[in-house]
């Protein structure tokens, strides 16, 4: 009799009698999930993501908050800047900030008041950078600059531009064709390395006329890509971007006197401290004997040695992919210092007391203390700055994407 009565009890009651606490816990969980409306026990909004600047010159920057919760269409936010107490705020939040560092805190909450884990972001508001004193339009793709013969010389697509350093005026345009890249002034001439047609050109600065143009190969189509050019030790030197070759040429005729092999693809070649110095994208800097053309030193300097600069007793090497500016002792070939200036550095020039360095990705030029690497000044220039030179009391910067040269007066 008792067993039949038990068998006839409703299923819910039987579950309670047989499974006891286990069944009750399951029922309570289902009820909680149903009340929750999300289908997930103990659901809450996800930890918010803060989208927006971390370093800005804008004193009213806009941030966007993103959080999700399954089954909930509307998630709202509470936030604060530099305060522990959070107040309701929109998902697109535009605070008014003073100069300096700030902490932005935010939490998400759903319609039932359940809170997400908190998140925060550090935000720095800095003064806008001063701009260059003068901006000069020179043509497409200005890559490099040199000073000499009372002028500033700029390579642009198809030619060479001559500037008056007193006014910044364009005083001459010389048609060269191709993609002129490197430029140097010494030995009574202006020298240009042309990346796309494989030539080196000599220009007479007194007439702006082409004296000679020499091919670095004999194939019908150019197989060389000279990008660096320098004069020193009675010879002309050209460095190839597509190989490890560095050519030694007769400056009077353009005849090839020899070919050295150092590093790999080159970016720059210069003459200073009694040697020929060439940078390579494999992170090496080579020194060549100007008399024999032989490689006398091979120095590891980062992972992408680009431009070279020179000051008395020092060779400076920028690295696009490394945050360091490398100082080489030319007497020993030893790396004497590594200065942390940030990634993306390109051209570097010495003004007599400090270094000026083009920061390719930031459209800035830095003035840097030689001993400590401390940034003494930042100046806004054009887009993608490359070559830098100091002339007539000013720094001149070739902005490769803007088609301009920026002039910064040295105080």
């Amino acid at each position: 009799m008792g067993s039949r009565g038990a068998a006839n009890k409703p299923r819910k009651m039987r579950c309670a009698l047989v499974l006891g606490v286990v069944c009750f816990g399951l029922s309570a969980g289902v009820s909680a999930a149903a009340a929750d409306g999300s289908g997930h026990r103990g659901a809450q909004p996800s930890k918010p993501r803060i989208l927006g600047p971390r370093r800005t010159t804008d004193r009213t920057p806009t941030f966007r908050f993103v959080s999700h919760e399954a089954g909930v269409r509307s998630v709202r936010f509470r936030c604060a800047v530099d305060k522990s107490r959070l107040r309701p705020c929109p998902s697109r939040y535009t605070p008014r900030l003073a100069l300096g560092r700030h902490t932005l805190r935010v939490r998400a909450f759903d319609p039932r008041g359940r809170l997400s884990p908190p998140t925060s972001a550090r935000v720095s508001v800095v003064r806008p950078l001063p701009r260059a004193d003068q901006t000069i339009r020179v043509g497409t793709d200005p890559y490099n600059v040199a000073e000499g013969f009372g002028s500033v010389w700029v390579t642009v697509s198809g030619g060479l531009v001559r500037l008056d350093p007193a006014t910044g005026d364009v005083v001459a345009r010389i048609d060269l064709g191709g993609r002129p890249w490197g430029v140097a002034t010494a030995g009574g001439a202006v020298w240009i390395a042309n990346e796309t047609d494989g030539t080196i050109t000599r220009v007479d600065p007194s007439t702006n006329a082409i004296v000679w143009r020499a091919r670095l190969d004999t194939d019908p189509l150019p197989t060389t890509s000279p990008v660096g050019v320098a004069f020193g030790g009675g010879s002309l030197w050209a460095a190839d971007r597509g190989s490890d070759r560095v050519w030694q040429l007769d400056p009077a005729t353009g005849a090839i006197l020899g070919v050295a092999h150092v590093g790999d693809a080159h970016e720059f070649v210069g003459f200073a401290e009694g040697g020929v110095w060439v940078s390579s994208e494999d992170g090496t800097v080579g020194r060549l004997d100007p008399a024999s053309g032989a490689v006398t030193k091979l120095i590891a300097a980062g992972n992408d040695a680009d431009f070279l600069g020179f000051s008395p007793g020092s060779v400076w090497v920028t690295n696009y992919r490394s945050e360091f500016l490398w100082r080489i002792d030319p007497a020993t070939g030893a790396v004497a210092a590594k200065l942390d200036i940030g990634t993306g550095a390109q051209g570097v020039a010495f003004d007599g007391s400090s270094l000026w360095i083009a920061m390719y990705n930031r459209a800035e030029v830095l003035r840097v203390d030689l001993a400590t690497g401390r940034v003494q000044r930042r100046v806004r220039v054009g887009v993608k700055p490359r070559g830098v030179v100091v002339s007539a009391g000013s720094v001149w910067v070739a902005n490769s994407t803007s088609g301009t040269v920026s002039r910064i007066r040295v105080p």
Side-chain angles (χ1 to χ4, degrees):
M1 184 74 173
S3 62
R4 285 185 63 186
N8 291 331
K9 287 184 182 290
R11 182 174 296 178
K12 182 183 294 186
M13 183 68 69
R14 187 167 68 240
C15 177
L17 290 173
V18 175
L19 300 178
V21 175
V22 175
C23 184
F24 175 78
L26 176 62
S27 176
V30 171
S31 298
D36 187 32
S38 66
H40 297 277
R41 184 179 182 184
Q44 66 184 87
S46 63
K47 184 176 181 178
R49 289 187 298 134
I50 300 176
L51 307 179
R54 299 302 191 263
R55 181 182 175 88
T56 179
T57 60
D58 185 359
R59 298 195 187 191
T60 56
T62 296
F63 301 90
R64 189 162 68 91
F65 308 139
V66 179
S67 175
H68 302 284
E69 181 181 344
V72 177
R73 299 180 62 183
S74 176
V75 174
R76 291 176 289 174
F77 300 92
R78 295 174 183 167
C79 66
V81 176
D82 301 331
K83 296 179 180 179
S84 57
R85 184 177 180 182
L86 308 184
R87 297 181 180 276
C89 60
S91 60
R92 291 182 64 86
Y93 178 57
T94 305
R96 185 174 296 277
L97 303 178
L99 289 174
R101 295 181 179 179
H102 303 277
T103 301
L104 171 60
R105 297 180 175 87
V106 61
R107 296 184 81 173
F109 66 98
D110 65 15
R112 290 183 174 271
R114 288 167 297 200
L115 291 169
S116 72
T119 190
S120 63
R122 302 283 186 179
V123 179
S124 294
V125 181
V126 298
R127 293 186 185 278
L129 291 181
R131 294 191 176 272
D133 297 291
Q134 186 178 12
T135 300
I136 306 148
R137 294 210 161 271
V138 292
T140 306
D141 297 336
Y143 278 3
N144 273 300
V145 285
E147 66 90 21
F149 310 108
S151 299
V152 173
W153 306 83
V154 189
T155 54
V156 298
S157 182
L160 181 68
V161 176
R162 185 174 190 171
L163 302 178
D164 181 341
T167 64
D169 292 341
V170 175
V171 295
R173 292 182 181 272
I174 303 165
D175 185 15
L176 299 173
R179 169 61 276 187
W181 188 296
V183 57
T185 57
V190 182
W191 312 94
I192 303 97
N194 198 310
E195 181 199 18
T196 56
D197 69 8
T199 64
I200 303 296
T201 301
R202 174 174 178 162
V203 170
D204 183 346
S206 64
T207 62
N208 296 325
I210 295 173
V211 177
W212 53 252
R213 180 176 290 159
R215 283 281 298 271
L216 296 177
D217 55 44
T218 57
D219 295 335
L221 295 176
T223 60
T224 59
S225 302
V227 294
V229 63
F231 181 93
S235 295
L236 187 66
W237 307 88
D240 191 23
R241 191 183 189 194
S243 72
D244 64 354
R245 290 173 292 182
V246 178
W247 291 271
Q248 182 180 6
L249 293 87
D250 183 339
T253 64
I256 296 174
L257 303 177
V259 181
H261 298 269
V262 56
D264 64 355
H266 304 308
E267 183 83 20
F268 193 92
V269 61
F271 183 84
E273 302 293 319
V276 179
W277 301 87
V278 58
S279 56
S280 303
E281 291 188 359
D282 66 357
T284 60
V285 174
R287 182 191 185 277
L288 280 63
D289 181 346
S292 65
V295 178
T296 60
K297 295 185 186 301
L298 191 61
I299 306 151
N303 58 7
D304 181 12
D306 282 330
F307 282 71
L308 302 175
F310 307 98
S311 64
S314 297
V315 176
W316 301 92
V317 190
T318 63
N319 273 241
Y320 179 75
R321 293 186 179 90
S322 164
E323 68 271 27
F324 295 113
L325 172 69
W326 298 66
R327 176 179 170 261
I328 295 173
D329 182 337
T332 65
V335 174
K338 292 164 58 179
L339 306 180
D340 189 344
I341 60 169
T343 59
Q346 290 288 274
V348 53
F350 178 61
D351 70 0
S353 61
S354 303
L355 296 173
W356 294 82
I357 303 168
M359 303 304 288
Y360 185 78
N361 295 326
R362 303 209 303 254
E364 297 176 14
V365 172
L366 310 182
R367 188 178 191 180
V368 173
D369 182 271
L370 280 74
T372 65
R374 184 177 67 86
V375 176
Q376 301 168 319
R377 187 180 176 194
R378 296 178 183 268
V379 181
R380 176 71 63 185
V381 293
V383 181
K384 308 298 185 186
R386 282 186 176 267
V388 181
V389 73
V390 178
S391 176
S394 293
V395 178
W396 305 80
V397 187
N399 304 308
S400 62
T401 301
S402 294
T404 62
V405 168
S406 296
R407 179 186 187 181
I408 306 162
R409 292 184 174 87
V410 180

